Amino acid sequence: MEKASVVLVDMTQYGPDLALARIIESRFPLLRISKQDDIGGAFASRSPVIACFEYDFPDISSLSMLSDVKREYSSVPVVMFTEQHSEALAVWALRARVWNYFVKPVASDSVLSSLDMLARLMVDSSSRAARGTVFPPQPLPEDARFQKHRGEDKVVEIATAHIEQNLHQKLMQSDIANRCGTTSFQLSRAFKRAYGITFQDFIMRRRLEKATELLCNESASIVDVCWTVGFRDASHFTKMFQRHTGMTPSQYRQKWRAGRNEIITSLQHPVPDKPE
């Protein structure tokens, strides 16, 4: 039985996650290429082949390239890895017929399990007739997920999922409680038990944690980050960010940039091994 190979396409702005490559090549023959390389030639050199597109901060140009590849090489299934995540991006990936969508850092078992399943479909003789397009399993409709098992743990799960997907919007406790089929008091109590903080404190913490991720994307202005995580006033965003991190957003970005440059320098000029 012919073993599927993986072509890992580096679409990152600040460098690929080497741990991801190690996970994949632990089980599959791996060819790593950049977005400047001949992707079609890479696919032609290996058959059957799975394409993995790795992003850190996807932009219109890099996502368009994935769409073009999917359209031109429809028989090649695509798996997408990204550091920056949003509901809109996940929906786009699904509509682009991406087989699976992972947010980095990834769990090795999940990645290998997905690739194993895909590889089996590709080499199974009973599925060759349908190999032109490989469709991912469709997620359950949102309304269906909310119909049962609304215990306290489920309430927290539903509420946190909604918060993660809507950090950029105004989040009202009463609205989210109604969405979860509970009351504002019960929702607040559930969050206090689950996280040890109030519901509003949880939202603030997630907004600021997301802000720290986005500040590592230098193509996004601080005002853009402010609005993306749900603040409508830049001065209030700066005040809350400094209260929670001890730094202003600008100082945080400068510290991150200095740390990244230090890592790059160390990779370019590694310290020689000491003689034994």
Side-chain angles (χ1 to χ4, degrees):
M1 182 179 292
E2 193 173 7
K3 187 175 182 64
S5 297
V6 173
V7 173
L8 179 59
V9 187
D10 178 11
M11 305 294 290
T12 63
Q13 296 183 37
Y14 301 117
D17 180 358
L18 299 181
L20 173 60
R22 287 195 292 268
I23 290 170
I24 297 173
E25 65 187 355
S26 70
R27 191 166 300 176
F28 295 89
L30 177 66
L31 174 62
R32 286 185 276 181
I33 64 174
S34 72
K35 54 189 173 185
Q36 287 81 26
D37 293 328
D38 178 10
I39 296 179
F43 292 165
S45 67
R46 298 176 177 231
S47 181
V49 63
I50 301 169
C52 291
F53 280 71
E54 180 186 3
Y55 297 87
D56 46 12
F57 301 100
D59 55 21
I60 293 175
S61 175
S62 59
L63 291 176
S64 296
M65 185 175 292
L66 186 153
S67 294
D68 292 343
V69 167
K70 194 74 186 79
R71 182 169 53 253
E72 187 172 354
Y73 304 96
S74 59
S75 64
V76 177
V78 172
V79 178
M80 180 175 171
F81 299 88
T82 180
E83 181 176 335
Q84 183 174 327
H85 161 69
S86 68
E87 180 185 15
L89 183 61
V91 170
W92 177 89
L94 179 64
R95 290 176 176 170
R97 306 231 189 273
V98 168
W99 165 262
N100 212 338
Y101 172 94
F102 291 93
V103 179
K104 299 185 293 184
V106 297
S108 59
D109 290 347
S110 297
V111 172
L112 293 177
S113 175
S114 179
L115 293 177
D116 281 340
M117 181 186 299
L118 184 50
R120 286 196 298 270
L121 286 174
M122 296 180 70
V123 300
D124 187 349
S125 60
S126 65
S127 66
R128 285 179 184 172
R131 226 176 114 182
T133 304
V134 181
F135 293 96
Q138 295 296 317
L140 291 173
E142 186 177 55
D143 290 344
R145 293 191 291 110
F146 294 165
Q147 294 303 314
K148 299 179 180 179
H149 311 298
R150 290 187 179 176
E152 200 166 83
D153 290 344
K154 191 64 177 179
V155 165
V156 171
E157 178 185 338
I158 295 170
T160 53
H162 180 75
I163 291 168
E164 293 297 325
Q165 295 168 3
N166 296 277
L167 279 176
H168 60 291
Q169 298 181 351
K170 185 175 182 179
L171 295 168
M172 299 293 294
Q173 182 169 336
S174 58
D175 292 341
I176 296 176
N178 183 61
R179 183 182 185 85
C180 298
T182 188
T183 66
S184 291
F185 172 76
Q186 291 172 329
L187 180 65
S188 180
R189 184 176 63 179
F191 267 77
K192 190 71 174 179
R193 289 179 177 174
Y195 297 105
I197 57 178
T198 67
F199 176 80
Q200 295 299 332
D201 285 343
F202 177 85
I203 292 177
M204 179 61 68
R205 186 177 75 180
R206 286 302 302 132
R207 291 193 196 280
L208 296 174
E209 287 173 348
K210 186 65 176 179
T212 61
E213 296 175 18
L214 296 176
L215 286 168
C216 297
N217 180 3
E218 294 185 285
S219 64
S221 71
I222 290 176
V223 173
D224 289 338
V225 173
C226 166
W227 279 80
T228 301
V229 299
F231 288 89
R232 295 297 175 259
D233 181 88
S235 62
H236 180 58
F237 169 59
T238 298
K239 179 181 178 180
M240 298 307 297
F241 191 91
Q242 188 168 19
R243 178 182 296 178
H244 283 75
T245 67
M247 294 176 282
T248 66
S250 297
Q251 291 169 340
Y252 181 89
R253 174 168 278 176
Q254 290 170 0
K255 182 177 180 181
W256 171 82
R257 186 185 295 125
R260 185 196 65 183
N261 291 339
E262 184 177 339
I263 291 173
I264 292 173
T265 301
S266 67
L267 292 174
Q268 293 173 340
H269 306 285
V271 178
D273 295 335
K274 293 181 181 179
E276 296 183 358

